[in-house]
Amino acid sequence: MPIRKTTILTADDDPQLLRLIARNLELEDYQVLVASDGQQALEQIEQHVPDLVLLDVMMPRMDGFTVCQRVREFSAVPIIIVTARGQDQDKVRGLDLGADDYLTKPFSIEELLARVRAVLRRAQFTASEQAHSMRTATIGDLTIEYAQHLVRMGGREIELTPTEYRILAYLAQNAGHVVTQDLLLERIWGTEYVGEGHMLQVNINRLRHKIEPDPMHPRYILTKVGIGYLLAARPDAPATK
């Protein structure tokens, strides 16, 4: 039985760029799906369930932000948002809507492939996560079932993106201890992301809105200003951000 190839959907309304991206991904032995507008991209994701989505922001019929938001209603598939150079607000908005990473135009093929490999790698178990896969962590009303990649709050399953899950799982493995911002960036995204604090801040914010009873006054994921974050070992008493 043939091994299933990793499937990547790339969506862009520039046909030349779309062909270039698709060809180079195919040379890396990925199976590639293409879409030239947002509506087509959404339909392809629903029909084919790819392993990764490359999503341009500026597309006809439905922009990349809307597609990302719609996809997050039913899927945790890793998404890389493609933005124009200098549009930092687009990067933050994309991450806030559930994207896992971003790529800035113009980009080299080497940078594209590196980002693709990094996001796909983050979507898999790491050796550290495998070591925890036979146990379940329970902290207050929060439960993390490592073997199933499941997170529950008060018995209710919480849908997380792969990046959100990895952040929470790593914080849980170090519950009660402060993890520096740069260490989190290195462990979750890679050494090349150290210093990109907005990547972490946006994901922490999303996590708080998913697991905290009151995201504005978090009890679980706490900030140590100027240092990093920690998952409270005993979140019974209210804590300030």
Side-chain angles (χ1 to χ4, degrees):
M1 186 174 180
I3 298 174
R4 177 184 175 274
K5 289 185 177 182
T6 298
T7 302
I8 299 175
L9 169 69
T10 179
D12 199 298
D13 63 343
D14 181 338
Q16 185 175 354
L17 181 58
L18 198 59
R19 287 194 298 269
L20 179 65
I21 293 173
R23 178 58 180 155
N24 280 276
L25 290 173
E26 288 168 348
L27 288 172
E28 294 295 313
D29 206 30
Y30 296 115
Q31 181 175 337
V32 181
L33 305 170
V34 296
S36 57
D37 63 61
Q39 184 61 45
Q40 188 180 35
L42 185 60
E43 292 169 357
Q44 291 263 41
I45 294 166
E46 291 175 333
Q47 181 178 354
H48 297 288
V49 193
D51 299 291
L52 173 67
V53 176
L54 282 165
L55 201 57
D56 188 41
V57 168
M58 300 302 294
M59 289 189 295
R61 299 183 68 194
M62 186 184 297
D63 65 31
F65 295 131
T66 304
V67 176
C68 184
Q69 187 173 30
R70 293 276 296 276
V71 169
R72 283 293 173 253
E73 293 173 359
F74 64 88
S75 174
V77 60
I79 296 173
I80 299 176
I81 283 282
V82 181
T83 69
R85 185 170 301 281
Q87 300 299 312
D88 290 343
Q89 68 272 21
D90 284 352
K91 299 173 186 176
V92 174
R93 184 180 176 191
L95 293 169
D96 198 41
L97 289 172
D100 297 89
D101 205 343
Y102 64 85
L103 190 62
T104 303
K105 289 182 178 179
F107 51 81
S108 67
I109 292 301
E110 290 75 15
E111 183 183 5
L112 166 71
L113 295 175
R115 294 270 170 156
V116 165
R117 287 191 294 266
V119 172
L120 287 171
R121 183 180 66 245
R122 293 199 298 268
Q124 306 300 317
F125 274 123
T126 63
S128 175
E129 288 165 346
Q130 289 284 11
H132 288 79
S133 65
M134 297 306 293
R135 70 177 181 87
T136 297
T138 301
I139 301 169
D141 292 328
L142 177 69
T143 301
I144 303 173
E145 299 178 19
Y146 290 99
Q148 290 79 31
H149 264 204
L150 286 179
V151 174
R152 303 181 192 277
M153 176 57 72
R156 179 174 63 89
E157 184 176 341
I158 305 296
E159 190 73 29
L160 300 180
T161 68
T163 300
E164 291 165 353
Y165 172 82
R166 286 168 64 86
I167 293 171
L168 185 62
Y170 190 72
L171 288 174
Q173 291 163 22
N174 296 276
H177 300 280
V178 178
V179 181
T180 67
Q181 178 173 282
D182 281 348
L183 179 58
L184 269 171
L185 285 164
E186 180 178 345
R187 293 301 297 265
I188 306 304
W189 281 275
T191 55
E192 64 272 26
Y193 291 84
V194 170
E196 296 197 35
H198 64 281
M199 298 280 290
L200 189 54
Q201 292 159 12
V202 171
N203 278 276
I204 291 290
N205 184 58
R206 285 209 317 257
L207 267 173
R208 282 175 171 157
H209 278 82
K210 291 183 177 183
I211 72 169
E212 296 282 359
D214 181 359
M216 299 304 295
H217 300 90
R219 294 167 47 198
Y220 288 86
I221 302 176
L222 308 180
T223 300
K224 293 301 178 183
V225 179
I227 305 174
Y229 301 92
L230 83 154
L231 187 67
R234 301 187 63 179
D236 310 292
T240 58
K241 182 177 175 179

